[in-house]
Amino acid sequence: MDIKQLQYFIAVSEHMNFSKAAERLHISQPSLSNAIKKLEHEIGTPLLDRNTRNLQLTEAGEVLFERAKVIVKNMEVLKIEMDEVVVHGTSEITIGVMESIKHWLPKVIANYKKDYPQMMIHLVDILGSKRVKKSLKSYKTHLIITNQLMDDPELEVKTLYEERLVAVLPLHHPLAKKETLSISDISAEPFIISTEGFQTRRDILNTFEQAGKSIDIQFEIERFETAVSLVRENLGITILPENYLQGPTAKTIVKKEIEGANLCRNVYLVYLKNRHLPFAIRQLLKDVLQFFETKPM
């Protein structure tokens, strides 16, 4: 019994059709049938009931199917980890990021690159809790910086800092003259908000609900950049992390504190607990954590 046989058996079990499984595996149907028969011969018992109109797994087949999926997945993970065990300082790292970290992550990376100049760093947008979990568990990313609160025993979650959420208005909006705003002030304004699945959206909606105010949602977005563009065109107002509004962006809009509303969010560093991370990647993880130990937000 080898990995290829298990992969063939998994494909047949998932499709319950030899021709479809063969097409997925890019082999001929007779070759696949012979491979499954050989596997059954080695095990000493039928794995598929071929006497019915449709293929069905036997009891032995059901057991092998569940175990085989775990074995094949572990082998795929092992290959990835072995590929990553490379010479010190020469490797690649993929980091899932969100928009509001643009003011500090480049500083960490610039310092890190002094010791690891050959490290190729991939920065990819990973938004929403489902995407965070899927990306880490499928080994697409090594670590993710997110505001999504992860409750998953397979994930290690480190709190980096807390950031305030503020109202964002067009430069010449009538409310821009007020020093601070209330939920009542903005409840009748056309509102720009993140789509379903984002923690910031849930936090904002909860704040309006607790204040007993409705919210007039006119736009749903995934990126803060889009929200700011809409605000600049006087199409509505929004609530965004204050850290995102640093730099040139701050000159194109008005930001206001929302009084009486505990609008803030935590930012987390998340990675897979049982994944082997090469030394160079573990060092970057350590650098991120140390950055906030010495420079609290």
Side-chain angles (χ1 to χ4, degrees), residues 127-129 131 148 191-205 217 219-224 226-227 238:
L127 307 173
S129 57
R131 295 180 194 175
Q148 303 293 323
F191 205 87
I192 304 156
I193 197 168
S194 300
T195 56
E196 292 283 355
F198 288 83
Q199 185 65 44
T200 303
R201 177 191 176 99
R202 290 193 289 269
D203 293 342
I204 292 170
L205 293 181
I217 297 175
F219 299 92
E220 291 187 334
I221 49 89
E222 286 197 348
R223 297 186 59 82
F224 295 155
T226 306
T238 190

Side-chain angles (χ1 to χ4, degrees), residues 37 40 51 72 87 96 118 129 131-132 152 158 164-165 170 181 184 186 201 224 238 260 263 271:
K37 288 178 181 177
E40 290 176 319
N51 297 320
V72 169
V87 179
Q118 300 304 316
S129 57
R131 295 180 194 175
V132 169
D152 190 309
K158 303 287 188 181
R164 187 172 64 165
L165 302 179
L181 302 178
S184 296
I186 62 178
R201 177 191 176 99
F224 295 155
T238 190
L263 268 172
Y271 54 94

Side-chain angles (χ1 to χ4, degrees), residues 270-283:
V270 188
Y271 54 94
L272 206 55
K273 281 183 180 178
N274 294 324
R275 177 174 184 174
H276 171 79
L277 294 176
F279 179 84
I281 295 177
R282 282 186 277 123
Q283 185 58 50

